[in-house]
Amino acid sequence: MPDLIWIILIFILILIGIIGSVLPALPGTPIAFIGLLVYKLCPLGENLSWWWISFCAILTILGMVINYFMPILTVKKFGGSKYGAIGATIGTLIGFIVPYGFLYGPFLGAFVGELIYDFMNKRGALKASLGALLSYFLCMGVNIIICGIMMTIFIIHLTFTYFNVN
């Protein structure tokens, strides 16, 4: 029975990581990585290679770096200014508080930031804010893939070690 508790706990942690990849209020990839690390440290996953843990740690760090830089790069790529990038960041933070704000916070933040920079260029502000929205979806996709890799490693390792032995 304790094995089942470990399996459920680890599965829930990685699942929360996947959900956190969609909801920016939760740090998705770090939570999923913690789940995989718990698996490695529990009796069930003791023979999971540290190479896989290191690989997933690198993916986690990479995902966090992408989450930080992607909004800035896409807003600038879509013709936005530093004000738009700052606005997208502020909009993302405010989006944690407002219902469903994570969907429209970066967009509105970049739009307002660009209007503060140049009020007359509404078309440019709209274009930069679309870049912020695209950035959100790109980051979400990258994080879902990273968490999916961790879930796959967990399920495959568990299947080939635990279920084949018992």
Side-chain angles (χ1 to χ4, degrees):
M1 185 66 172
D3 288 349
L4 183 60
I5 293 170
W6 281 114
I7 293 169
I8 291 170
L9 172 71
I10 294 160
F11 184 79
I12 288 172
L13 281 171
I14 297 174
L15 189 62
I16 289 171
I18 293 170
I19 292 168
S21 297
V22 177
L23 302 174
L26 294 172
T29 52
I31 292 174
F33 178 71
I34 288 170
L36 198 62
L37 191 58
V38 167
Y39 177 63
K40 170 63 179 158
L41 298 176
C42 82
L44 292 172
E46 63 190 1
N47 61 354
L48 177 66
S49 170
W50 279 105
W51 186 92
W52 284 111
I53 299 299
S54 301
F55 173 72
C56 290
I58 291 168
L59 287 179
T60 300
I61 292 168
L62 181 65
M64 292 167 60
V65 168
I66 287 171
N67 283 340
Y68 180 76
F69 287 109
M70 184 68 74
I72 297 167
L73 296 174
T74 54
V75 167
K76 288 189 183 272
K77 184 73 173 169
F78 277 68
S81 66
K82 179 171 63 172
Y83 289 86
I86 292 170
T89 303
I90 292 171
T92 301
L93 294 175
I94 292 174
F96 294 147
I97 301 166
V98 182
Y100 302 106
F102 63 90
L103 291 174
Y104 56 82
F107 178 84
L108 289 177
F111 189 74
V112 169
E114 286 300 317
L115 289 180
I116 290 171
Y117 177 72
D118 184 6
F119 185 75
M120 300 307 291
N121 189 5
K122 291 176 180 58
R123 182 182 296 259
L126 181 62
K127 186 177 175 187
S129 55
L130 287 174
L133 187 63
L134 175 65
S135 167
Y136 170 73
F137 288 113
L138 288 173
C139 289
M140 180 176 51
V142 166
N143 288 326
I144 288 171
I145 290 170
I146 291 171
C147 290
I149 289 170
M150 290 186 220
M151 181 67 88
T152 303
I153 290 169
F154 167 64
I155 290 172
I156 289 174
H157 187 269
L158 185 68
T159 302
F160 284 110
T161 57
Y162 181 71
F163 293 119
N164 281 339
V165 173
N166 293 334

